[in-house]
Amino acid sequence: MTAPVNKMPGPKIFGQMKRKGQKIAMITAYDFASASVVATTDIDVILVGDSLGMVVLGYDGTIKVTMADMISHSAAVRRGAPEKFIITDMPYLSYHLTTRETKLNAARLVNAGAANAVKMEGGSESRLAAIREIVDMEIPVCAHLGLTPQSVLRFGGYKVQGKDEAAHELIFQQALAIAAAGAFMLVLEGIPELLGKQITEALQIPTIGIGAGRFCDGQVLVYHDMLGYSNMTPKYVKQYSDLNRSIPKAIMEYTKEVREGSFPTLEHTYYPIEKP
Ligand code: KIV
């Protein structure tokens, strides 16, 4: 299945939302089940993030996530949410080697992965070139700056970025360059609020914050984090549900009923011997 081109808006809609002052709500999803639930809501964008490495595959970071992982999860999300605008992360190493590989990998995420757009981290010269090349192939690109998880080895951990003056200025300049390179959206992660505000005010493309303060044009949260379904509790996460408590509670109840013989009942039985 590819993205159903007639049933959803193109990326320009998000620029229009910014101009009208309408906030953009984004959430991650990684599989058919979560996407099917998200598809019943009026969320604006689904991100198939490489955070799936941590929340779904149990890795300690995102850099082990492969193209095969991203394609298969993105396609599953598309099957669950046929009409949503889906952005899929380009995983580590999929855009760091040759231009040809970068372009092929972006194309695979929109073809086999059925995404509407791809996301890549960073704002160095080679990333700007990659953004230009992919946009030139008619594939919309969302950029990502700040605490970019694929840079965790260089950062020495998951640390807020852009705190000193030089780092603040570098991220600000990279944001301007990313917009000039043709990205339609910019995710800002783990930066001081002032930097998030200044970038948001300076750019015409929308910014989507995650730990970037209150003034971005939209927000993104990881599905599992906001539902209380992960063990991640960074400061920027608000939990809107508590699945880590309600799921074990349901499983314990089921286990108890199986053990005591109160499940299954006639109600759950095909061709029961006695009539209900
Ligand atoms: O992989 C991901 O989920 C992300 C968001 C946290 C922005 O990149």
Side-chain angles (χ1 to χ4, degrees):
M1 187 189 270
T2 51
V5 288
N6 292 325
K7 291 222 168 166
M8 67 183 63
K12 277 195 184 142
I13 186 85
F14 304 113
Q16 289 164 5
M17 287 175 78
K18 172 170 179 140
R19 287 191 287 283
K20 288 184 196 158
Q22 295 169 353
K23 294 275 188 183
I24 301 164
M26 183 191 290
I27 190 169
T28 68
Y30 310 103
D31 56 17
F32 178 79
S34 55
S36 304
V37 173
V38 173
T40 66
T41 73
D42 61 354
I43 198 97
D44 299 303
V45 190
I46 296 179
L47 172 66
V48 185
D50 61 355
S51 52
L52 74 86
M54 288 176 280
V55 289
V56 176
L57 301 177
Y59 297 144
D60 57 2
T62 60
I63 59 179
K64 293 189 184 121
V65 175
T66 64
M67 274 297 294
D69 293 329
M70 294 312 299
I71 289 173
S72 129
H73 284 270
S74 183
V77 169
R78 171 58 72 206
R79 290 190 289 275
E83 295 181 15
K84 288 291 184 190
F85 192 94
I86 295 176
I87 301 176
T88 296
D89 260 339
M90 297 194 72
Y92 184 63
L93 275 191
S94 70
Y95 54 100
H96 303 73
L97 303 173
T98 66
T99 303
R100 180 182 156 77
E101 276 175 296
T102 300
K103 291 165 79 169
L104 271 174
N105 285 329
R108 289 168 72 205
L109 293 175
V110 297
N111 286 339
N116 300 87
V118 298
K119 174 163 85 58
M120 68 168 62
E121 297 183 5
S124 64
E125 274 308 318
S126 62
R127 298 304 140 71
L128 299 175
I131 293 171
R132 282 190 286 267
E133 293 283 359
I134 297 171
V135 170
D136 187 55
M137 293 172 74
E138 317 298 341
I139 298 175
V141 177
C142 172
H144 185 164
L145 287 178
L147 199 187
T148 44
Q150 292 173 13
S151 316
V152 67
L153 296 177
R154 179 163 62 84
F155 294 157
Y158 296 96
K159 296 175 182 157
V160 173
Q161 299 297 305
K163 286 193 293 184
D164 64 47
E165 212 177 303
H168 181 116
E169 183 58 18
L170 177 65
I171 294 174
F172 183 79
Q173 291 303 332
Q174 287 181 337
L176 298 182
I178 277 166
F184 76 98
M185 182 179 268
L186 171 61
V187 169
L188 294 172
E189 177 167 357
I191 57 171
E193 185 170 65
L194 177 64
L195 179 54
K197 184 170 189 285
Q198 288 174 342
I199 292 174
T200 302
E201 286 170 357
L203 297 191
Q204 289 188 352
I205 62 169
T207 59
I208 306 294
I210 174 162
R214 295 163 293 170
F215 301 104
C216 293
D217 299 304
Q219 293 293 320
V220 55
L221 280 180
V222 167
Y223 181 89
H224 296 66
D225 295 346
M226 61 91 68
L227 292 176
Y229 196 17
S230 74
N231 296 319
M232 301 280 289
T233 47
K235 184 177 171 64
Y236 60 76
V237 171
K238 178 170 175 189
Q239 286 188 348
Y240 291 82
S241 188
D242 196 2
L243 296 190
N244 271 349
R245 285 164 83 96
S246 54
I247 292 176
K249 192 163 166 278
I251 295 173
M252 298 273 278
E253 196 176 330
Y254 158 71
T255 305
K256 178 170 161 285
E257 291 191 2
V258 169
R259 288 185 180 146
E260 71 190 17
S262 59
F263 174 85
T265 62
L266 281 176
E267 195 191 332
H268 315 105
T269 302
Y270 295 116
Y271 301 104
I273 296 167
E274 355 158 11
K275 290 254 182 269

